[in-house]
Amino acid sequence: MNNAKVRVRFAPSPTGPLHMGGVRTALYNYLFAKQQGGDFILRIEDTDQTRFVPGAEEYIIDSLKWCGISPDEGQGVGGDFGPYRQSERKAMYRQYAQQLVDNGHAYYAFDTAEDLERVRQLAKDAGSPNWQYNHVTRNSMKNSLSLSQSEVQKRIDSGEPYVIRIKLNRNEEVKFEDIVRGWVSVNTNNMDDKVLFKSDGMPTYHLANIVDDHLMQISHVIRGEEWLPSAPLHILLYRYLGWEDSMPQFAHLPLLLKPDGNGKLSKRDGDRLGFPVFPLEWHNKESGEVFSGYRENGYFPEAFINMLAFLGWNPGTAQELFSLEELTEAFSLKKVNKAGARYDHDKTRWFNQQYLRLKSDEELGRLLSAEAQKAGHDIDQAKAAAIAALMKERAYFIKDLWEDSEFFFQAPTEYDEKTLRKKWNQDARNHVSQLHQIFEMLSSFTPEDVEGSFKAYLEENGLGFGKVGPGFRLAVTGKGMGPSMFEICAILGKEETLSRLKLALEKLP
RNA sequence: GGCCCCUUCGUCUAUCGGUUAGGACGCCAGGUUUUCAUCCUGGAAAGAGGAGUUCGAUUCUCCUAGGGGCUGCCA
């Protein structure tokens, strides 16, 4: 597999929404593929029919699309190696399991789920929590190694359900070189005879992923660390199937950890700690539960992707802001860290703030006016862009931009209580009243005009900014803080500014 | 319990044997700002512990501890 084209796959199971750890795996696959001029393939691993969740596959496709890491080939896209849903490839797997049986690398096993449950429990009661179906125990189980050939045939002919298990040699060292971890070695004595083919006629993940990766000519398997323990099993399968020469290279990624406490990030952590763990909002139809999504929480996909890229990888330079194209160029599996990365929500917010600032005033204006429209306000684009320009420094999200600038769209209906209490008094009333008169005489209402006349007023009366400013702001915006009042007044216009000063004099004590 | 993987500031991380151990987020202080935010400057903050190799270890090896993953006819 040295000179072959790079082909990588992201192979989620449609058992629910794809969480951010899965998205990161997809991202690293995508980045690697694009950088190497290869293909990024989406394969749906739905071999467990009991865990199928309606809508999950669509969710996966939509999520990748939102992130901008759409597959070149695979489910929802098509390609020459389909079908890309394992349930639709069902007929292909049987022959490979059979091949393994014929070669003596696998065997039939007739033990029922209850049988297995019983021996496991027995072992546990005897103080060994780790019963394995392996070279020492398999002779006492019901399988084609312990039973006579005629007995086996009889059971099969009578339609008795069976599984096919891999037959591991005892005391064999299985080694492979992982791109991120280096050499990893496991002895078969510590592995068990995993089921390859289930009694329902479907392969398990272990068989299916090897067969499909081989058939789809996958060059690199980039997946989460939770797969590391079964990688040796997969190596053996390639070997026993005769595919070792074209075996893909492996890269096991560090896990995403909970921000607090221990363990890997799970779907419950989000609501518990107040951040989304899913890219898109997900509605659980059975329970009615809703899991929040980054998209719905106002995150830009660029920020989300950038944040994810840095959880487990970094370019080794001081640059932190990377577009998808830049990530593609800079990414390297060799620079992926080995240790799990704890998710940091503050950093995610920071990334979003950075991306918000990177956007042009025009674009922010468009996004802002879309928010305003939802609230029933129409506004022209030039004005929206001007407002965005003035307000963007203090926003992390578009919704901040909207909430902070709502006063541009309508006169205050209420006034900041604290400022009212501390800064509004008879003097303030007089100043606002005076400002009304002064502004009324202005023929031009640019920020400079407003500032000039305001400062002239201060000077004539020997006043400091702090004496007049807060009351002025309160009267016009209803708030105790914000950007330059002169800019605000200019955007509002003379008429609106005067009307608000007047309104305040009427409404405030 | 067994097996495998991992271990630098609170968090994400840089360092490919010799550095005042660097950056970012967050935090704190000061400055700019009428205010808030931004911005600028500064600060606190780390090599889990113990052996060994070496002239010299954060870096290499081993042990211990801690963390994580796996241990299903789930993926």
Side-chain angles (χ1 to χ4, degrees):
Chain A
M1 196 108 283
N2 297 326
N3 301 314
K5 182 176 188 186
V6 166
R7 286 171 58 81
V8 299
R9 85 301 197 277
F10 176 56
S13 168
T15 53
L18 179 65
H19 97 348
M20 57 195 286
V23 176
R24 193 202 53 174
T25 300
L27 174 64
Y28 283 12
N29 271 282
Y30 172 91
L31 295 176
F32 180 71
K34 295 294 102 181
Q35 181 186 67
Q36 303 290 319
D39 294 328
F40 172 55
I41 296 148
L42 174 65
R43 186 172 71 219
I44 301 296
E45 310 238 328
D46 56 349
T47 52
D48 185 355
Q49 294 160 324
T50 65
R51 295 216 304 159
F52 175 77
V53 173
E57 181 184 304
E58 191 185 7
Y59 180 96
I60 291 164
I61 292 170
D62 289 348
S63 295
L64 297 182
K65 191 173 176 190
W66 180 66
C67 293
I69 51 177
S70 296
D72 301 295
E73 179 184 323
Q75 186 58 29
V77 184
D80 298 335
F81 297 83
Y84 293 95
R85 224 185 245 136
Q86 289 182 328
S87 59
E88 293 171 11
R89 302 171 66 81
K90 185 172 177 178
M92 298 185 198
Y93 305 111
R94 166 100 230 178
Q95 59 173 304
Y96 297 105
Q98 192 59 52
Q99 181 187 328
L100 258 10
V101 173
D102 295 345
N103 291 341
H105 290 303
Y107 57 93
Y108 301 109
F110 301 96
D111 316 279
T112 64
E114 294 73 42
D115 291 339
L116 294 168
E117 176 58 30
R118 195 171 338 107
V119 279
R120 287 201 179 98
Q121 191 55 48
L122 242 40
K124 199 179 270 184
D125 293 344
S128 107
N130 193 33
W131 184 86
Q132 294 193 134
Y133 206 119
N134 61 17
H135 66 94
V136 340
T137 61
R138 63 184 167 226
N139 289 325
S140 57
M141 302 302 287
K142 288 180 287 186
N143 54 55
S144 58
L145 298 175
S146 64
L147 269 21
S148 71
Q149 203 170 349
S150 61
E151 171 71 12
V152 169
Q153 200 54 51
K154 204 176 87 190
R155 285 174 184 252
I156 291 175
D157 290 345
S158 73
E160 185 174 334
Y162 63 86
V163 301
I164 294 175
R165 287 181 180 272
I166 189 170
K167 184 186 172 199
L168 262 25
N169 296 329
R170 62 178 287 274
N171 197 28
E172 181 182 341
E173 212 58 46
V174 185
K175 283 189 213 171
F176 71 99
E177 190 172 15
D178 187 278
I179 298 172
V180 339
R181 277 150 218 287
W183 285 97
V184 175
S185 173
V186 180
N187 190 291
T188 51
N189 286 352
N190 296 313
M191 298 163 60
D192 62 350
D193 291 352
K194 282 270 182 275
V195 172
L196 302 178
F197 199 81
K198 302 188 271 189
S199 59
D200 66 357
M202 285 291 259
T204 60
Y205 168 83
H206 301 297
L207 210 221
N209 107 85
I210 269 63
V211 169
D212 287 346
D213 284 348
H214 173 74
L215 262 23
M216 294 181 182
Q217 296 175 17
I218 298 302
S219 63
H220 299 259
V221 170
I222 303 167
R223 74 226 303 195
E225 191 188 345
E226 67 267 30
W227 294 109
L228 196 52
S230 50
L233 173 75
H234 301 159
I235 303 285
L236 254 17
L237 281 170
Y238 280 105
R239 186 175 303 164
Y240 294 160
L241 254 4
W243 301 334
E244 200 168 10
D245 291 345
S246 61
M247 185 171 75
Q249 284 187 261
F250 291 92
H252 288 92
L253 272 19
L255 264 16
L256 256 40
L257 273 19
K258 298 177 196 294
D260 71 327
N262 309 319
K264 64 175 174 177
L265 189 65
S266 75
K267 65 179 179 181
R268 300 278 164 199
D269 294 326
D271 296 319
R272 186 171 62 81
L273 299 164
F275 61 85
V277 299
F278 298 105
L280 275 33
E281 192 168 276
W282 169 260
H283 296 255
N284 184 321
K285 302 215 171 52
E286 279 177 18
S287 67
E289 271 178 298
V290 176
F291 292 94
S292 65
Y294 281 87
R295 184 227 257 158
E296 288 74 11
N297 273 261
Y299 287 86
F300 301 117
E302 312 92 279
F304 179 61
I305 283 303
N306 199 153
M307 173 278 290
L308 278 180
F310 270 71
L311 243 30
W313 168 86
N314 87 85
T317 66
Q319 187 182 350
E320 295 219 71
L321 263 25
F322 282 81
S323 67
L324 195 54
E325 292 68 34
E326 290 172 314
L327 284 173
T328 298
E329 200 162 321
F331 185 74
S332 158
L333 282 173
K334 297 253 166 55
K335 284 194 163 177
V336 169
N337 275 79
K338 298 188 217 299
R342 202 156 258 143
Y343 173 72
D344 180 356
H345 194 52
D346 282 328
K347 191 83 181 240
T348 308
R349 286 170 48 81
W350 177 81
F351 271 113
N352 211 64
Q353 180 192 36
Q354 299 305 307
Y355 278 91
L356 186 142
R357 284 188 201 171
L358 249 28
K359 292 185 187 297
S360 69
D361 294 342
E362 288 66 34
E363 185 174 358
L364 289 174
R366 276 192 293 279
L367 294 166
L368 172 62
S369 61
E371 285 297 309
Q373 236 155 33
K374 281 187 216 160
H377 301 285
D378 275 320
I379 184 169
D380 74 75
Q381 288 305 321
K383 196 170 167 185
I387 294 172
L390 197 57
M391 306 302 288
K392 68 197 268 190
E393 293 302 312
R394 61 209 75 208
Y396 282 73
F397 302 98
I398 295 300
K399 71 170 183 293
D400 296 338
L401 205 55
W402 159 243
E403 283 165 9
D404 292 347
S405 34
E406 202 171 352
F407 65 80
F408 281 106
F409 299 84
Q410 68 179 87
T413 51
E414 52 191 42
Y415 296 83
D416 181 67
E417 195 271 328
K418 193 176 160 193
T419 311
L420 190 59
R421 182 159 35 85
K422 290 188 149 172
K423 305 288 184 183
W424 188 257
N425 50 33
Q426 194 53 48
D427 281 348
R429 282 190 70 85
N430 290 339
H431 296 317
V432 165
S433 173
Q434 291 290 311
L435 287 172
H436 185 280
Q437 286 185 30
I438 291 165
F439 290 161
E440 204 164 22
M441 293 184 294
L442 290 177
S443 55
S444 164
F445 213 67
T446 65
E448 294 73 27
D449 296 327
V450 180
E451 180 168 7
S453 58
F454 182 89
K455 288 196 167 157
Y457 172 71
L458 292 185
E459 208 162 309
E460 284 161 24
N461 297 281
L463 294 163
F465 219 129
K467 281 283 179 202
V468 188
F472 177 33
R473 179 181 299 281
L474 185 72
V476 176
T477 70
K479 293 181 184 296
M481 57 187 74
S484 159
M485 280 308 295
F486 313 123
E487 300 279 352
I488 290 173
C489 289
I491 290 174
L492 287 173
K494 179 178 170 183
E495 198 183 322
E496 179 65 17
T497 302
L498 291 175
S499 123
R500 290 187 180 193
L501 292 174
K502 206 169 157 198
L503 180 73
L505 291 170
E506 287 163 10
K507 289 183 74 169
L508 295 178

